[in-house]
Amino acid sequence: MGTHYDVLIVGGGHAGSTAAIMLRQNGFEGSIAIAGDEPELPYERPPLSKEYFAGEKEFERILIRPEAFWAERNVEMLLGRRVTAVDAGARSVALEDGETLTYGKLIWAAGGTPRRLVCAGHDLARVHAVRNRVDVDRMMSELPEVARAVVIGGGYIGLEAAAVLAKLGKQVVLLEALDRVLARVAGEDISRFYEADHRAHGVDIRTGVAVDCITGEAHATGVRLADGSEIAADMVIVGVGIAPAVEPLAAAGAVIGNGVEVDEYCRTSLPDIYAVGDCAAHENRFAGGARVRVESVQNANDQATTAAKHIVGTAEPYAAIPWFWSNQYDLRLQTVGISAGHDETVLRGDPAARSFSVIYLKNGAVVALDCVNAVKDYVQGRKLVVERMSPEKARLADASVPLKELL
Ligand SMILES: Cc1cc2nc3c(=O)[nH]c(=O)nc-3n(C[C@H](O)[C@H](O)[C@H](O)COP(=O)(O)OP(=O)(O)OC[C@H]3O[C@@H](n4cnc5c(N)ncnc54)[C@H](O)[C@@H]3O)c2cc1C
């Protein structure tokens, strides 16, 4: 048997690195290792479609902690090491290079793998996903030869990448299969606002379109749509979501749905195996108790903290309020709560002034806010969501009334 760790963490992203940090912060003195398949120390993923891609932030500035931190905290970094199998009975994992490691507790924090297109040309050169540093470094190295880019997928990552490309002076076409961008995560007011803003920045947003294939020989040169038309492109970026990275856990017998299912302490159905972050499906009170997978830094960090505290014996059930942000052009969107399932919206402020909020209600109670350049609403609105308050709609809509006065 190979090396034994009291806690072995699989995946060195936001959730995995935070689990190690929180274990030490909460007094855990046993051995800890992070086995991560990327060659880098843990780094922040959000800048990959924002400042890092734009060339405004160097890689060292997006490291979650400097190298010395991990050595000082005695967290062993097994970088470039992929876990291929888990044996829950033997409390061991197999690495791709043939080594076996044993553990006391395993924290699975493997995130997700970008969904690929299945059409012809999906694997051509110059077709990119945006998930890790390697993806973005490759995109950046091609930029000097790119005049025209096509982005497939109008979620946050696609829109952020489109904003960077537009700012860099590239001609950008963004294709979305549904009838509006951000359809899965935001209400229609937000979608229409972002569509208009991108168009004002020169991005050609096309909704309700189906991709037939990616064309090109040595590399991608265009995207053909189902209606037979073709859009020329020197680069294609695909942002159509992720599939949770849970195969070894599934093979080991864990209960899997949309991700690996965990309880309120982030425990999987397998003994001494936790799962946290993008790969973990949990019952979320802010989604009305539905089992969801939340893809955000907040969720990764807070679930990692829950698992770490459970291991040291100071557990609190996971009940953190979801929050998220997205930066595009001069727009900072901040979201709190989960808007899916809302039955009413209230617009607060003036979109034309580029500072406003959309408040989502369900049965009259506030379930979420999307705040665009409206940080006060975001900060003060949190409590409305936590307490599920039902303020008068006219007062919610009146931007001259601070939200804290409605508490
Ligand atoms: C481009 C981009 C922009 C984003 N912007 C925002 C934002 O603005 N705000 C926000 O809140 N969230 C944002 N997110 C989402 C956020 O980054 C994720 O929710 C977060 O990274 C999830 O953390 P995680 O640790 O679960 O997964 P990850 O950070 O993906 O880490 C998982 C790690 O595990 C590794 N791994 C996978 N399988 C194995 C294996 N078998 N063995 C070993 N290692 C493995 C992966 O390579 C990866 O390094 C963004 C994500 C991306 C990609």
Side-chain angles (χ1 to χ4, degrees):
M1 273 292 160
T3 314
H4 178 85
Y5 296 98
D6 296 318
V7 176
L8 176 63
I9 299 167
V10 179
H14 282 273
S17 58
T18 302
I21 293 168
M22 294 313 291
L23 280 166
R24 289 293 184 236
Q25 205 164 302
N26 284 278
F28 184 77
E29 289 178 350
S31 54
I32 304 175
I34 296 180
D37 62 0
E38 293 188 71
E40 291 90 4
L41 289 169
Y43 60 90
E44 295 169 29
R45 236 162 265 283
L48 294 182
S49 51
K50 308 179 183 71
E51 312 92 302
Y52 183 72
F53 182 34
E56 293 164 1
K57 231 180 201 180
E58 285 167 12
F59 185 70
E60 284 58 41
R61 288 184 56 210
I62 67 170
L63 286 176
I64 286 176
R65 291 288 188 278
E67 189 166 5
F69 175 94
W70 303 108
E72 282 160 13
R73 301 299 187 288
N74 203 11
V75 174
E76 195 166 334
M77 285 291 171
L78 308 173
L79 300 178
R81 313 285 299 275
R82 182 169 183 77
V83 171
T84 52
V86 174
D87 184 335
R91 287 187 165 64
S92 69
V93 305
L95 297 170
E96 200 168 33
D97 54 23
E99 200 181 333
T100 299
L101 307 174
T102 60
Y103 60 81
K105 308 274 184 194
L106 183 72
I107 302 181
W108 190 264
T113 316
R115 289 213 165 83
R116 309 261 161 201
L117 299 177
V118 287
C119 64
H122 73 275
D123 51 357
L124 283 170
R126 298 203 185 173
V127 178
H128 303 278
V130 193
R131 184 68 192 177
N132 56 39
R133 182 196 187 180
V134 172
D135 296 330
V136 179
D137 282 354
R138 204 179 291 137
M139 283 156 57
M140 291 168 78
S141 72
E142 291 171 10
L143 281 177
E145 289 153 47
V146 173
R148 298 158 305 184
V150 171
V151 178
I152 300 175
Y156 285 120
I157 291 175
L159 288 170
E160 289 176 351
V164 169
L165 290 165
K167 272 199 298 190
L168 294 174
K170 314 296 181 191
Q171 272 180 41
V172 189
V173 179
L174 184 141
L175 305 173
E176 166 56 52
L178 299 177
D179 66 350
R180 61 185 175 93
V181 301
L182 299 175
R184 290 190 190 84
V185 286
E188 185 159 357
D189 291 334
I190 292 289
S191 301
R192 299 299 177 217
F193 175 80
Y194 275 92
E195 287 168 6
D197 205 68
H198 275 274
R199 287 183 179 128
H201 283 88
V203 177
D204 179 357
I205 302 252
R206 302 191 197 174
T207 56
V209 290
V211 170
D212 175 45
C213 65
I214 298 176
T215 56
E217 284 176 12
H219 58 75
T221 53
V223 175
R224 188 172 304 137
L225 302 181
D227 67 6
S229 62
E230 189 163 334
I231 307 164
D234 310 306
M235 170 186 275
V236 177
I237 294 177
V238 180
V240 294
I242 59 166
V246 294
E247 297 82 356
L249 285 187
V255 175
I256 307 285
N258 171 24
V260 55
E261 297 197 352
V262 296
D263 70 5
E264 68 272 36
Y265 298 110
C266 299
R267 290 178 295 194
T268 69
S269 58
L270 297 174
D272 293 319
I273 302 184
Y274 298 77
V276 292
D278 281 11
C279 64
H282 63 282
E283 288 175 4
N284 192 305
R285 109 164 223 248
F286 295 94
R291 194 174 277 285
V292 291
R293 244 180 0 88
V294 176
E295 295 171 15
S296 73
V297 169
Q298 169 277 318
N299 179 68
N301 289 343
D302 288 336
Q303 285 196 325
T305 303
T306 299
K309 286 191 169 171
H310 194 265
I311 289 171
V312 300
T314 57
E316 290 156 28
Y318 181 67
I321 184 166
W323 55 266
F324 187 83
W325 76 95
S326 173
N327 299 338
Q328 297 166 49
Y329 310 111
D330 61 335
L331 302 170
R332 181 163 176 84
L333 171 77
Q334 292 168 290
T335 295
V336 59
I338 294 179
S339 62
H342 70 273
D343 54 25
E344 208 176 341
T345 59
V346 173
L347 178 64
R348 177 180 163 85
D350 180 10
R354 304 174 75 68
S355 169
F356 68 100
S357 301
V358 174
I359 302 172
Y360 299 90
L361 308 170
K362 187 170 184 187
N363 301 326
V366 176
V367 292
L369 289 91
D370 276 330
C371 307
V372 178
N373 292 343
V375 67
K376 272 193 190 143
D377 284 357
Y378 171 71
V379 172
Q380 297 179 10
R382 287 174 84 92
K383 204 150 186 207
L384 295 176
V385 179
V386 174
E387 311 279 335
R388 287 187 76 85
M389 299 194 70
S390 306
E392 223 181 280
K393 275 162 229 147
R395 305 230 322 145
L396 274 178
D398 183 349
S400 70
V401 179
L403 289 178
K404 64 181 179 199
E405 287 185 15
L406 306 182
L407 292 172

